[in-house]
Amino acid sequence: MIYPSTIGGINMKINLETEELKPLLPHCKVTDDYVAFFSAKSVFSNGYGCEFNYDDKGVHSVQQALVYGKALLLGDYSIAEKVLDTKNTPMAYHNLNKQINGDVNLWENYRSRVMISILDDKFNDSERLYLLKATGNRKLLLASPYDSIWGIGAGLSKVDTVWDSYTGKNLLGESLMKVRNNNYKSWPVFTAQTQEADIYSTSASYASLLSY
């Protein structure tokens, strides 16, 4: 079936194989090959607002957990505490991230491991797991023209032509796919209850998809 969708003013027709993919709209672009996202309203975004525990601490988004995890890894415990005390404020997390002192090479070597551990905790939730599992074997792409580390370095308007040849690292998408594939068979099956998952809860309107 073909479903119309508008993301950031871009009109698209989306071929969906299953009904399970429909809840991802309108905050993702979905094709047979990939699922691309950018807005903080997408459940796959770092800025998507949802509560979960990371390192036994309550956090409100992957962005908050990522800055906290980076500060811990680099031994900047003062910034780590400030991150936990800052509630769901994307620009504040961005500014705190820039204040972290430590070995840049160490962060580059371990940032994907930190991200995967955060996503493991975020998707330890039946509703969010349902949405991740619904993507099947499609590539998951952070379609940000501003981010070539966690994203593909190209926006939603160009993703059709670069989805399999982008120059960015797409570390967020790669991490999401690894979490999706881990223990796949043990994840919950689709049910009427999980199909009612509220993926439209949002964090701040600012799409905090910035390079860390």
Side-chain angles (χ1 to χ4, degrees):
M1 299 180 67
I2 302 295
Y3 294 88
S5 178
T6 301
I7 304 178
I10 303 167
N11 293 318
M12 300 170 294
K13 289 184 178 180
I14 299 174
N15 182 14
L16 299 184
E17 295 177 348
T18 65
E19 294 295 305
E20 287 79 14
L21 286 165
K22 289 170 65 176
L24 295 175
L25 304 177
H27 306 305
C28 294
K29 181 176 182 181
V30 183
T31 73
D32 292 341
D33 298 306
Y34 65 80
V35 174
F37 59 94
F38 176 74
S39 168
K41 295 180 180 181
S42 166
V43 69
F44 305 128
S45 166
N46 283 350
Y48 179 79
C50 60
E51 295 186 2
F52 60 96
N53 289 330
Y54 174 66
D55 191 42
D56 293 326
K57 304 293 192 303
V59 294
H60 301 274
S61 68
V62 168
Q63 185 193 18
Q64 182 185 20
L66 186 62
V67 180
Y68 170 73
K70 179 180 179 179
L72 282 185
L73 177 68
L74 301 186
D76 197 333
Y77 303 117
S78 174
I79 294 296
E81 290 182 6
K82 290 179 181 179
V83 173
L84 290 180
D85 290 338
T86 303
K87 305 301 182 185
N88 214 21
T89 310
M91 185 56 74
Y93 299 143
H94 176 62
N95 291 333
L96 286 169
N97 172 70
K98 294 193 294 184
Q99 298 173 34
I100 296 174
N101 294 309
D103 186 341
V104 174
N105 290 329
L106 178 64
W107 174 240
E108 290 181 354
N109 288 335
Y110 284 91
R111 60 193 175 191
S112 289
R113 298 187 193 183
V114 172
M115 176 61 85
I116 290 170
S117 69
I118 291 169
L119 294 175
D120 273 332
D121 289 335
K122 173 181 177 177
F123 287 96
N124 185 23
D125 170 272
S126 61
E127 292 180 352
R128 293 193 286 270
L129 276 173
Y130 154 72
L131 294 169
L132 185 57
K133 184 177 179 180
T135 63
N137 294 319
R138 293 170 178 80
K139 272 192 173 183
L140 299 179
L141 307 173
L142 169 53
S144 170
Y146 315 111
D147 190 340
S148 59
I149 297 175
W150 295 105
I152 65 173
L156 288 167
S157 63
K158 297 182 178 179
V159 69
D160 272 337
T161 57
V162 302
W163 72 269
D164 60 347
S165 61
Y166 49 84
T167 58
K169 296 181 183 296
N170 192 38
L171 294 183
L172 176 56
E174 294 293 331
S175 298
L176 283 163
M177 288 185 283
K178 287 179 180 179
V179 172
R180 179 183 66 189
N181 294 336
N182 287 342
N183 302 315
Y184 189 87
K185 292 182 180 179
S186 67
W187 287 9
V189 297
F190 301 122
T191 66
Q193 183 177 3
T194 56
Q195 287 183 22
E196 295 174 357
D198 179 16
I199 67 167
Y200 300 110
S201 67
T202 65
S203 61
S205 58
Y206 175 76
S208 57
L209 301 170
L210 303 169
S211 301
Y212 293 113

